Amino acid sequence: MSQINRIIIVGGGTAGWLTAGLLAATHSEPDKDGNKLTVTVVESDTVHPIGVGEGTWPTMRRTLSKIGIPEADLIKRAGATFKQASKFVNWHKNETGNAYYHPFSAPQGSANLDITPYWLSSQDKKGQYANDVCFQPELCEAGLAPKISAHPNQSFVANYGYHLDAGQFIDLIRTHCTQKLGVRRIVDDVISVNPNENGIGSVETRNSGNLTAELYIDCSGFSSLLIEKALSVELVDASRYLFSDRALVCQMPYEDTNSPIACYTQSTAQEAGWIWDIALQHRRGTGYVYSSKHQSDDAARDTFAKYLAQYTNAPVDKSAFREIRFSTGYRRKFWEKNCVAIGLSSGFLEPLEASSLMLIEQSATLLAEQLPANTQVMPHVEHRFNEQLQGMWESAIDFLKLHYVLSNNNAAFWKDSRLEQSIPSRLLSLLKEWQFRPILDRDFSKSSDTFSAQSYRYILYGMLNSNSNINSASTYRRTLKHAEFADKQLSLNQALIKQLKSRMPSHRGLIESFY
């Protein structure tokens, strides 16, 4: 039995430094024998971040608070802006419009009652589900901020996450971890990994020699130096559910430096995938995620260029697009013996709904909270960690797939995405049930369910909206006993929209107030 006193993280990036920060901040005190946890990050200066995960969940606020990074530092040093929602354009077309929101704020009155069945049964509902039950889509459309001022004690009005520059974000966390949390940084290349009966025996670096620890974290990205190359833990293929395997990435400056800053991630459906559009302070981060089986690489470049041309007067240089190729899937085991994979080394899902950064946060948080005291109990933590992470990845796949199966786009990519054999079994079962009843909170009551029932409601009813026959009130065998309360919440939501539109600052205005 050995105490867990030394942890080596191979690879920096967002995964490596977030994990290092959470471990160092959570275990900053020495144990009863006076031993203090040592966290070392080994990162190469020749490996650059992929940079597609520029959107976060609201959970990032809590994560940064645990590490000790103030929001003002994130805004001023990582080009960050506020994210209040995801907006989906052209994923489903109907008479009431071709765009809908998945906001971060819950519907009006949801702490006391799910008003969705009442909205569905209403004969005079006018607009999109999210707009009718939540004020946040209207804030997004008006370009308004989620809180009134930059003061750190200012409570927020609307729930929010962030958009951020991946490179600057990594620099910020790295500096904080090394200067404030005592994380050791070694800038070097790992030239070999030496496995043994316990998992990883040591990692050999070009200039620093052999490095040893009781626990190793693989944050080496797609190369997966430890979990795959040394320990041979294979990927579970998920491409039968999510077909995209390519991404074209481009950064664009604003045409006007005073342009409004969108406070939502826009995802616009295309012939064989979708384009993300994220607004930072001084530029926009964009990318086209697509399936190479449904569109050639040249045609994909044309599709992406056509989209970008709407937002610039300058010619779009297709040769400047950065191409990323990926396999969709997750590790059969995320923790193998004394090695844990976090980030791209643990698997990859397309960056829809900021799922990649979310899974990094969840993995690193779980590891920090359940870090084993010694090697004797490590197998028990390993089993529980693997079980929970597998559930989280499968849950994320279910939720991402939901966006595709409801589309009425007739291009081959979208038609194939609706085939029953391409839908995970749990999601398929729930979709069949939801034809005859509303979504229930109990449908997602497991601790490993990464997306709540409310997120499913925003997508399902946003895609299908009031014109679809699915979920019509006549199919329910249920008495709606709180109609008066529900009607009041719908009215309160409209009143709140008017009030907030008159008092909330612009998104750009709030960002500038931090300076």
Side-chain angles (χ1 to χ4, degrees), residues 312-384:
T312 179
N313 295 320
V316 177
D317 181 9
K318 291 186 285 187
S319 65
F321 297 163
R322 185 160 57 96
E323 183 185 78
I324 301 170
R325 300 189 176 197
F326 56 86
S327 298
T328 297
Y330 55 90
R331 292 291 161 198
R332 177 180 54 81
K333 294 179 71 176
F334 304 91
W335 190 322
E336 173 71 352
K337 297 184 177 179
N338 67 347
C339 176
V340 183
I342 295 178
L344 297 177
S345 61
S346 67
F348 186 79
L349 302 177
E350 59 188 65
L352 189 64
E353 298 277 13
S355 54
S356 295
L357 261 179
M358 174 273 294
L359 287 165
I360 290 172
E361 278 191 272
Q362 297 284 352
S363 302
T365 300
L366 194 61
L367 174 62
E369 290 175 348
Q370 302 188 13
L371 184 69
N374 53 57
T375 54
Q376 183 178 14
V377 299
M378 189 182 291
H380 305 286
V381 183
E382 171 191 338
H383 175 76
R384 185 169 59 250

Side-chain angles (χ1 to χ4, degrees), residues 355-427:
S355 54
S356 295
L357 261 179
M358 174 273 294
L359 287 165
I360 290 172
E361 278 191 272
Q362 297 284 352
S363 302
T365 300
L366 194 61
L367 174 62
E369 290 175 348
Q370 302 188 13
L371 184 69
N374 53 57
T375 54
Q376 183 178 14
V377 299
M378 189 182 291
H380 305 286
V381 183
E382 171 191 338
H383 175 76
R384 185 169 59 250
F385 186 92
N386 284 328
E387 187 176 56
Q388 289 180 281
L389 261 294
Q390 181 181 340
M392 288 179 183
W393 278 78
E394 292 176 351
S395 173
I397 290 171
D398 283 353
F399 186 63
L400 300 193
K401 184 64 177 181
L402 177 72
H403 296 64
Y404 290 99
V405 300
L406 302 171
S407 175
N408 59 2
N409 191 314
N410 285 319
F413 169 82
W414 298 92
K415 290 173 69 175
D416 289 348
S417 294
R418 294 194 294 270
L419 294 174
E420 192 164 297
Q421 61 265 33
S422 78
I423 304 175
S425 58
R426 184 178 76 151
L427 175 62

Side-chain angles (χ1 to χ4, degrees), residues 64-82:
L64 294 179
S65 177
K66 288 179 181 177
I67 295 173
I69 296 177
E71 180 174 271
D73 287 359
L74 184 72
I75 301 298
K76 292 187 282 188
R77 296 172 58 187
T81 57
F82 294 96

Side-chain angles (χ1 to χ4, degrees), residues 20 38 47 72 87 90 92 103 107 109 121 127 137 189 204 239 273 279 308 327 380 463 471 477:
T38 300
V47 178
K87 182 180 182 180
N90 291 337
H92 187 89
S121 66
D189 295 315
E204 185 175 350
S239 62
L308 296 176
S327 298
H380 305 286
M463 288 282 276
N471 293 300
R477 193 163 60 190

Side-chain angles (χ1 to χ4, degrees), residues 43-69:
E43 64 175 344
S44 171
D45 57 3
T46 61
V47 178
H48 302 290
I50 296 296
V52 299
E54 294 181 313
T56 82
W57 276 21
T59 51
M60 185 59 75
R61 302 203 313 270
R62 184 171 63 249
T63 296
L64 294 179
S65 177
K66 288 179 181 177
I67 295 173
I69 296 177

